[in-house]
Amino acid sequence: MEKSIVILAIESSCDDTSAAVICDGILLSNVTASQKVHEEFGGVVPELASRAHQLNIVPVVDTALKRAGVTKDALSAIAFTRGPGLLGSLLVGTSFAKGLALSLQIPLIDVNHLQGHIMAHFVQPEGEALKHPTFPFLCLLVSGGNSQIVKVEGYNKMTIIGQTIDDAAGEAFDKCAKVLGLPYPGGPWIDKLAKSGNKDAFHFAEPNIAGYNYSFSGLKTSFLYTIRDLMKVHGVETVEELTEQIPNLKEDLCASLQYTIINVLMKKLRKAAKDLNINQVAVAGGVSANSGLREAFIDYGKRYKSEVYIPPFSFTTDNAAMICQAGYYKFLDSDFCPIDAVPFAKTKIN
Ligand code: KG4
């Protein structure tokens, strides 16, 4: 009988410490420790993130192995997120992965975090029937740091055909949420408030950028100016005073903002799919948790008779299952990395 391929993956690119185990392509465990320490600062504090990773990494890996029911001696290789991300955070996962691989004398596999997000569509949890895309497909990759349209032609063959020239979609959500005094990260708060708001209440500037690229900085400014003008008209000094005066204002602003961001994202995706004649589209990254965006994908599928792929919630934000899946394919290709590989903060997808 052939020996099973058992991969342990470690993800530590930002503020989630995560470990996952895949055996012969089936996900056995996926454990994530999130960091609450950043909430009071309104954003991720890199130094605090690396310290929290140091505290979390051993218990997270230990729990992932136990939940999977495997011992470290059964591991075939260790996959880890090499970048892009916060360097101090990446260093914790990278160093841990190297140490473990060296001590067990097994190969090390480096995974690009963005490719990992796309590979979330191929994760196969034990006992669950999930639909996976076939090649080629277009993936809208939207997170706190990226907004891209990626043409995916193979597990390891991906080309960015469009991307943001300034802010990412998640950044636009988070920055506008901050203006409204919502906690960090603001995306999920906007999503929640938007549900009881009117999407047509406000009209924000939509960017006019060539090709398949995005831009969200103008939209952010338009949002800010709308609030500033309202404050002037109502003679108030703060957003709190304004929202007290105008019923349902926060909800309406959130609904209109979310509608505009989704509209911008979907228009370019449609243009790319039409031009390239690709009838499978997927969404990935933290913003793919957004309920409006998920609905927009379902509508897209019906309207354009396209196959659409929306990841389960657990694989939208940073997680090691997606890194493990990418690592599994690299293992099958014997695509290993040297022990002196260093993490990187910024990169292209391939
Ligand atoms: O991929 P991710 O977990 O982390 C990185 O960017 O590395 O994405 C985080 C982003 C944040 O900007 C967050 O506000 C956004 O995803 N996000 C959402 C929602 N859930 C998370 N944005 C809009 N609606 C949501 N439900």
Side-chain angles (χ1 to χ4, degrees), residues 138 140 149 204-208 211-214 259-275 293 296-297 300 303-304:
L138 289 184
L140 177 69
I149 299 176
F204 302 118
E206 280 195 29
N208 189 11
Y212 310 126
N213 284 341
Y214 291 117
Y259 175 75
T260 313
I261 293 177
I262 293 171
N263 215 15
V264 171
L265 290 172
M266 297 307 288
K267 265 191 197 162
K268 284 287 167 92
L269 181 67
R270 176 60 198 152
K271 181 174 161 50
K274 199 171 164 209
D275 291 353
L293 185 57
F297 262 76
Y300 181 105
R303 183 181 298 191
Y304 302 114

Side-chain angles (χ1 to χ4, degrees), residues 117 143-145 170 173-174 185 187-188 191 285-287 289-290 317-318:
H117 269 302
S143 69
F173 271 110
D174 295 342
D191 191 356
V287 181
N290 184 270
T317 44
D318 292 348

Side-chain angles (χ1 to χ4, degrees), residues 53 57 72 87-88 129 236 250 303 320:
H53 282 304
I57 190 126
K72 57 184 185 342
L87 211 59
V236 294
K250 258 190 193 170
R303 183 181 298 191

Side-chain angles (χ1 to χ4, degrees), residues 166-292:
D166 42 55
D167 290 346
E171 220 174 335
F173 271 110
D174 295 342
K175 285 180 177 168
C176 292
K178 199 170 179 180
V179 174
L180 292 178
L182 299 171
Y184 179 86
W189 288 91
I190 294 203
D191 191 356
K192 203 170 158 213
L193 289 166
K195 288 193 170 83
S196 28
N198 172 10
K199 68 175 176 47
D200 300 315
F202 297 97
H203 294 280
F204 302 118
E206 280 195 29
N208 189 11
I209 306 289
Y212 310 126
N213 284 341
Y214 291 117
S215 163
F216 289 103
S217 66
L219 171 60
K220 189 184 64 192
T221 312
S222 170
F223 184 82
L224 195 67
Y225 284 2
T226 301
I227 295 177
R228 190 197 58 184
D229 294 349
L230 280 172
M231 281 165 61
K232 234 187 235 165
V233 171
H234 288 262
V236 294
E237 299 282 318
T238 65
V239 175
E240 286 70 35
E241 288 173 274
L242 189 66
T243 51
E244 270 168 31
Q245 278 200 19
I246 310 175
N248 222 43
L249 178 67
K250 258 190 193 170
E251 289 81 355
D252 288 347
L253 282 167
C254 289
S256 305
L257 174 76
Q258 180 169 299
Y259 175 75
T260 313
I261 293 177
I262 293 171
N263 215 15
V264 171
L265 290 172
M266 297 307 288
K267 265 191 197 162
K268 284 287 167 92
L269 181 67
R270 176 60 198 152
K271 181 174 161 50
K274 199 171 164 209
D275 291 353
L276 301 174
N277 198 21
I278 293 180
N279 79 338
Q280 289 189 96
V281 292
V283 61
V287 181
S288 67
N290 184 270
S291 58

